[in-house]
Amino acid sequence: MDIIDVKNLTKRYPGRTAVSDISFRVAPGEIVGFLGPNGAGKTTTMRILSGFLPATGGDVNIGGRDVSKQSLEIRRHIGYLPESCPLYPEMRVSEYLGYRARLKGLPRSRRKERIRTVLEMCGLVDVRRRVIGHLSKGYRQRVGLADALVHDPELLILDEPTIGLDPNQIREIRNLIRDLSGKHTILLSTHILPEVEAICERVLILDKGKIVASDTPENLAGIVSGSIRVVAEIKGLQSEIVNTVKALPGVNNVSDRLEGAWVKLEVSGKLGTDLRQNIFQTVVENKWTLRELRTISTTLEDVFGALTSGHNRSRG
């Protein structure tokens, strides 16, 4: 059974539709990146999944439970970290986590163990007696994540968990999220696309309230680019090199420029064709000199730009 099962979800506000008839599923143990420009409907969707916002139409089930009918029960199985994590700055870290564990209905017999566990998981043991308001942004974010984890939920919904953190803190939170995979199902929204490539097994991309893509980062890159691209730098007669490479099997297009004595080529070809092998063999046969030969990877940033309009929007 899927942890998340969304069918024809719609959310309308006066004068606009934030989410328009979207459907998707997330299997147990998956880490799924939830991407889209500002105002695409990501936060609205996550709030509906978390039971904090009612839908206008459609069906949302979390672990087989209907969000519209079993909202309180579902919240016991979800850990939600919003972008602006609300904390009580006057409370100490352990005190706050104990308070949140009680609110979430965690039995007294399990509270101490779970608080100790999440303190260790989130790197908070050394600051457990510190007042939250005196902590750095990075540590406050860790407290928010510990809060989301304290009741050991099936599903974690993380909205921009590394926003405002420095590179070292981002790496630490990223490693923590990766370590949570398998035991927890994770829906991760972030604007840091390399973070998604590093962590997520699958990506959902929203644009203007609709899902425009759902696949692994690697498959999306292939679909968007539609071809494999290779860069080669070869020393020899420019016209001879260009014409020979153009004639190779699987080559669709060759662009070239001269850089001193070197001819720099960008070669595109059919997906599934190993252009590098053919180019290398051609260089050897013609006794040219090869200085560089590499593929050009299509990044998730390229995919995101190709699938979304990129216009400025209000938050949604």
Side-chain angles (χ1 to χ4, degrees):
M1 180 178 63
D2 293 311
I3 294 295
I4 301 177
D5 187 0
V6 175
K7 296 177 181 175
N8 308 115
L9 175 63
T10 297
K11 177 63 180 179
R12 297 188 186 93
Y13 295 104
R16 72 183 182 96
T17 299
V19 179
S20 179
D21 195 34
I22 68 171
S23 300
F24 65 93
R25 293 179 175 182
V26 178
E30 268 196 297
I31 302 183
V32 176
F34 202 47
L35 309 179
N38 288 337
K42 306 184 305 298
T43 297
T44 297
T45 300
M46 287 187 288
R47 286 175 178 169
I48 293 171
L49 293 177
S50 305
F52 289 97
L53 191 67
T56 304
D59 298 312
V60 178
N61 284 273
I62 305 294
R65 306 172 188 90
D66 188 331
V67 169
S68 65
K69 298 175 182 176
Q70 298 171 276
S71 177
L72 288 177
E73 175 63 20
I74 284 170
R75 292 185 201 190
R76 295 190 180 98
H77 300 272
I78 291 177
Y80 179 40
L81 178 64
E83 179 179 343
S84 299
C85 185
L87 302 170
Y88 290 110
E90 70 279 4
M91 296 181 77
R92 300 183 187 277
V93 173
S94 292
E95 178 188 11
Y96 173 76
L97 292 176
Y99 168 68
R100 293 293 291 162
R102 291 195 300 275
L103 281 184
K104 294 180 180 187
L106 198 66
R108 180 187 293 270
S109 59
R110 291 192 61 206
R111 283 179 205 158
K112 285 187 178 180
E113 175 198 346
R114 280 304 298 169
I115 291 170
R116 182 169 59 250
T117 298
V118 297
L119 285 171
E120 291 174 356
M121 287 173 62
C122 298
L124 293 168
V125 173
D126 291 342
V127 298
R128 64 189 183 279
R129 294 189 179 89
R130 294 272 301 276
V131 175
I132 291 173
H134 297 167
L135 298 177
S136 68
K137 168 70 175 176
Y139 272 110
R140 290 198 301 273
Q141 201 73 352
R142 292 188 196 192
V143 173
L145 189 54
D147 176 5
L149 285 165
V150 73
H151 57 304
D152 200 18
E154 297 173 62
L155 172 63
L156 277 173
I157 299 177
L158 309 177
D159 191 0
E160 301 288 352
T162 59
I163 191 167
L165 305 186
D166 65 37
N168 289 331
Q169 292 168 338
I170 289 173
R171 185 168 57 252
E172 290 167 2
I173 296 295
R174 178 192 299 165
N175 291 337
L176 174 57
I177 293 170
R178 189 186 290 112
D179 290 343
L180 294 171
S181 64
K183 184 178 180 182
H184 301 272
T185 303
I186 301 173
L187 189 63
L188 170 67
S189 173
T190 178
H191 283 98
I192 305 174
L193 300 185
E195 192 169 282
V196 175
E197 289 181 301
I199 296 174
C200 298
E201 303 157 14
R202 188 159 60 93
V203 176
L204 293 169
I205 300 180
L206 267 69
D207 189 36
K208 299 178 182 177
K210 294 181 177 292
I211 293 177
V212 295
S214 175
D215 212 325
T216 64
E218 295 81 9
N219 287 346
L220 286 177
I223 292 167
V224 168
S225 66
S227 64
I228 185 170
R229 293 181 296 159
V230 170
V231 168
E233 287 191 55
I234 304 168
K235 184 183 286 187
L237 184 62
Q238 185 175 9
S239 59
E240 183 180 342
I241 291 171
V242 173
N243 291 333
T244 303
V245 172
K246 279 183 178 179
L248 291 175
V251 171
N252 293 333
N253 185 60
V254 178
S255 61
D256 64 287
R257 68 176 186 269
L258 200 59
E259 294 187 353
W262 296 89
V263 180
K264 186 162 187 174
L265 306 176
E266 184 173 317
V267 186
S268 63
K270 298 174 184 176
L271 285 175
T273 304
D274 191 348
L275 296 178
R276 293 172 301 171
Q277 181 177 334
N278 293 340
I279 292 171
F280 180 80
Q281 188 63 37
T282 299
V283 169
V284 172
E285 290 172 357
N286 287 275
K287 297 181 180 178
W288 298 326
T289 303
L290 181 67
R291 183 167 70 175
E292 180 181 18
L293 182 61
R294 61 180 173 86
T295 57
I296 303 174
S297 300
T298 301
T299 66
L300 192 56
E301 187 173 348
D302 298 327
V303 172
F304 186 85
L307 294 176
T308 62
S309 61
H311 296 151
N312 292 326
R313 298 172 175 86
S314 60
R315 183 168 178 78

